[in-house]
mmCIF file of all heavy atoms in Angstrom:
data_model
loop_
_atom_site.group_PDB
_atom_site.id
_atom_site.type_symbol
_atom_site.label_atom_id
_atom_site.label_comp_id
_atom_site.label_asym_id
_atom_site.label_seq_id
_atom_site.Cartn_x
_atom_site.Cartn_y
_atom_site.Cartn_z
ATOM 1 N N HIS A 50 43.265 34.644 30.531
ATOM 2 C CA HIS A 50 43.920 35.935 29.982
ATOM 3 C C HIS A 50 44.231 35.730 28.485
ATOM 4 O O HIS A 50 44.336 34.671 28.028
ATOM 5 C CB HIS A 50 44.933 36.365 30.725
ATOM 6 C CG HIS A 50 44.710 36.629 32.184
ATOM 7 N ND1 HIS A 50 44.918 35.778 33.167
ATOM 8 C CD2 HIS A 50 44.082 37.656 32.723
ATOM 9 C CE1 HIS A 50 44.507 36.163 34.370
ATOM 10 N NE2 HIS A 50 43.996 37.390 34.162
ATOM 11 N N LEU A 75 26.513 25.516 23.998
ATOM 12 C CA LEU A 75 26.175 24.216 23.189
ATOM 13 C C LEU A 75 25.661 23.170 24.040
ATOM 14 O O LEU A 75 25.640 22.083 23.566
ATOM 15 C CB LEU A 75 27.718 23.805 22.771
ATOM 16 C CG LEU A 75 28.201 24.353 21.461
ATOM 17 C CD1 LEU A 75 29.596 23.705 21.156
ATOM 18 C CD2 LEU A 75 27.257 24.186 20.276
ATOM 19 N N GLY A 85 25.072 32.163 37.068
ATOM 20 C CA GLY A 85 26.478 32.613 36.788
ATOM 21 C C GLY A 85 26.619 33.596 35.641
ATOM 22 O O GLY A 85 25.581 33.972 35.000
ATOM 23 N N ARG A 95 25.916 35.588 28.524
ATOM 24 C CA ARG A 95 24.495 35.112 28.926
ATOM 25 C C ARG A 95 23.430 36.191 28.563
ATOM 26 O O ARG A 95 22.235 35.826 28.478
ATOM 27 C CB ARG A 95 24.379 34.734 30.354
ATOM 28 C CG ARG A 95 25.186 33.454 30.613
ATOM 29 C CD ARG A 95 24.767 32.867 31.908
ATOM 30 N NE ARG A 95 23.366 32.454 31.974
ATOM 31 C CZ ARG A 95 22.725 32.443 33.124
ATOM 32 N NH1 ARG A 95 23.275 32.939 34.170
ATOM 33 N NH2 ARG A 95 21.449 32.044 33.121
ATOM 34 N N ARG A 102 25.385 34.578 20.008
ATOM 35 C CA ARG A 102 26.099 33.589 20.538
ATOM 36 C C ARG A 102 26.657 32.576 19.498
ATOM 37 O O ARG A 102 27.739 32.222 19.405
ATOM 38 C CB ARG A 102 25.522 32.957 21.789
ATOM 39 C CG ARG A 102 25.251 33.722 22.868
ATOM 40 C CD ARG A 102 24.913 33.046 24.124
ATOM 41 N NE ARG A 102 26.017 32.466 24.799
ATOM 42 C CZ ARG A 102 26.068 31.765 25.909
ATOM 43 N NH1 ARG A 102 24.908 31.756 26.586
ATOM 44 N NH2 ARG A 102 27.098 31.215 26.332
ATOM 45 N N GLN A 115 37.392 15.639 21.160
ATOM 46 C CA GLN A 115 38.144 14.424 21.427
ATOM 47 C C GLN A 115 38.206 13.466 20.290
ATOM 48 O O GLN A 115 39.281 12.989 19.919
ATOM 49 C CB GLN A 115 37.542 13.768 22.792
ATOM 50 C CG GLN A 115 38.126 12.373 23.032
ATOM 51 C CD GLN A 115 37.519 11.935 24.377
ATOM 52 O OE1 GLN A 115 36.910 12.706 25.181
ATOM 53 N NE2 GLN A 115 37.678 10.612 24.577
ATOM 54 N N THR A 139 32.408 34.810 7.325
ATOM 55 C CA THR A 139 33.088 35.833 6.471
ATOM 56 C C THR A 139 32.370 36.099 5.267
ATOM 57 O O THR A 139 31.344 35.480 4.929
ATOM 58 C CB THR A 139 34.561 35.406 6.058
ATOM 59 O OG1 THR A 139 34.445 34.321 5.196
ATOM 60 C CG2 THR A 139 35.362 34.925 7.251
ATOM 61 N N LEU A 153 44.777 27.101 5.325
ATOM 62 C CA LEU A 153 44.587 26.622 6.666
ATOM 63 C C LEU A 153 45.124 25.337 6.859
ATOM 64 O O LEU A 153 45.675 24.924 7.872
ATOM 65 C CB LEU A 153 43.121 26.689 7.026
ATOM 66 C CG LEU A 153 42.404 27.996 7.483
ATOM 67 C CD1 LEU A 153 40.962 27.943 7.434
ATOM 68 C CD2 LEU A 153 42.960 28.344 8.865
ATOM 69 N N VAL A 157 48.125 24.084 9.463
ATOM 70 C CA VAL A 157 48.052 23.036 10.592
ATOM 71 C C VAL A 157 48.888 21.913 10.352
ATOM 72 O O VAL A 157 48.792 20.864 10.950
ATOM 73 C CB VAL A 157 46.590 22.575 10.910
ATOM 74 C CG1 VAL A 157 45.713 23.746 11.300
ATOM 75 C CG2 VAL A 157 46.009 22.021 9.656
ATOM 76 N N ARG A 190 40.250 32.676 12.708
ATOM 77 C CA ARG A 190 41.205 33.264 13.692
ATOM 78 C C ARG A 190 40.594 33.657 14.978
ATOM 79 O O ARG A 190 40.618 34.934 15.436
ATOM 80 C CB ARG A 190 41.852 34.588 13.153
ATOM 81 C CG ARG A 190 42.646 34.198 11.821
ATOM 82 C CD ARG A 190 43.367 35.486 11.404
ATOM 83 N NE ARG A 190 44.295 35.274 10.290
ATOM 84 C CZ ARG A 190 43.769 35.405 8.952
ATOM 85 N NH1 ARG A 190 42.579 35.802 8.711
ATOM 86 N NH2 ARG A 190 44.565 35.104 8.057
ATOM 87 N N ASP A 197 38.814 20.215 23.899
ATOM 88 C CA ASP A 197 38.349 19.141 24.829
ATOM 89 C C ASP A 197 38.997 17.910 24.632
ATOM 90 O O ASP A 197 38.607 17.202 23.619
ATOM 91 C CB ASP A 197 36.855 19.260 24.740
ATOM 92 C CG ASP A 197 36.126 18.342 25.814
ATOM 93 O OD1 ASP A 197 36.935 17.722 26.524
ATOM 94 O OD2 ASP A 197 34.951 18.302 25.801
ATOM 95 N N VAL A 219 49.666 29.006 19.720
ATOM 96 C CA VAL A 219 49.798 29.965 20.804
ATOM 97 C C VAL A 219 50.883 30.850 20.511
ATOM 98 O O VAL A 219 50.753 32.101 20.692
ATOM 99 C CB VAL A 219 49.954 29.125 22.279
ATOM 100 C CG1 VAL A 219 50.230 30.232 23.282
ATOM 101 C CG2 VAL A 219 48.818 28.260 22.574
ATOM 102 N N GLY A 223 49.088 33.687 18.625
ATOM 103 C CA GLY A 223 48.636 34.443 19.910
ATOM 104 C C GLY A 223 47.252 33.930 20.376
ATOM 105 O O GLY A 223 46.574 34.572 20.979
ATOM 106 N N CYS A 240 50.427 24.307 29.616
ATOM 107 C CA CYS A 240 49.600 25.261 30.378
ATOM 108 C C CYS A 240 50.492 26.219 31.228
ATOM 109 O O CYS A 240 51.503 26.078 31.682
ATOM 110 C CB CYS A 240 48.549 24.631 31.220
ATOM 111 S SG CYS A 240 47.489 23.594 30.086
ATOM 112 N N PRO A 256 49.144 28.296 39.387
ATOM 113 C CA PRO A 256 50.078 28.284 38.282
ATOM 114 C C PRO A 256 50.553 26.870 38.115
ATOM 115 O O PRO A 256 50.796 26.239 39.278
ATOM 116 C CB PRO A 256 51.196 29.390 38.601
ATOM 117 C CG PRO A 256 50.545 30.184 39.710
ATOM 118 C CD PRO A 256 49.537 29.354 40.315
ATOM 119 N N THR A 269 43.938 16.687 44.214
ATOM 120 C CA THR A 269 44.969 16.883 43.168
ATOM 121 C C THR A 269 46.211 16.075 43.330
ATOM 122 O O THR A 269 46.799 15.563 42.475
ATOM 123 C CB THR A 269 45.502 18.382 43.295
ATOM 124 O OG1 THR A 269 44.394 19.306 43.262
ATOM 125 C CG2 THR A 269 46.278 18.744 42.127
ATOM 126 N N CYS A 303 32.519 18.549 52.155
ATOM 127 C CA CYS A 303 33.276 18.252 51.091
ATOM 128 C C CYS A 303 32.976 17.260 50.193
ATOM 129 O O CYS A 303 32.673 16.149 50.691
ATOM 130 C CB CYS A 303 34.830 18.099 51.510
ATOM 131 S SG CYS A 303 35.997 17.809 50.324
ATOM 132 N N ALA A 357 60.883 11.842 26.626
ATOM 133 C CA ALA A 357 59.621 12.195 25.780
ATOM 134 C C ALA A 357 60.058 12.526 24.391
ATOM 135 O O ALA A 357 61.268 12.793 24.162
ATOM 136 C CB ALA A 357 58.812 13.369 26.389
#
Side-chain angles (χ1 to χ4, degrees):
Chain A
H50 299 95
L75 275 181
R95 287 194 67 210
R102 297 194 70 177
Q115 174 175 341
T139 69
L153 274 165
V157 297
R190 299 192 176 87
D197 190 356
V219 175
C240 297
T269 313
C303 177

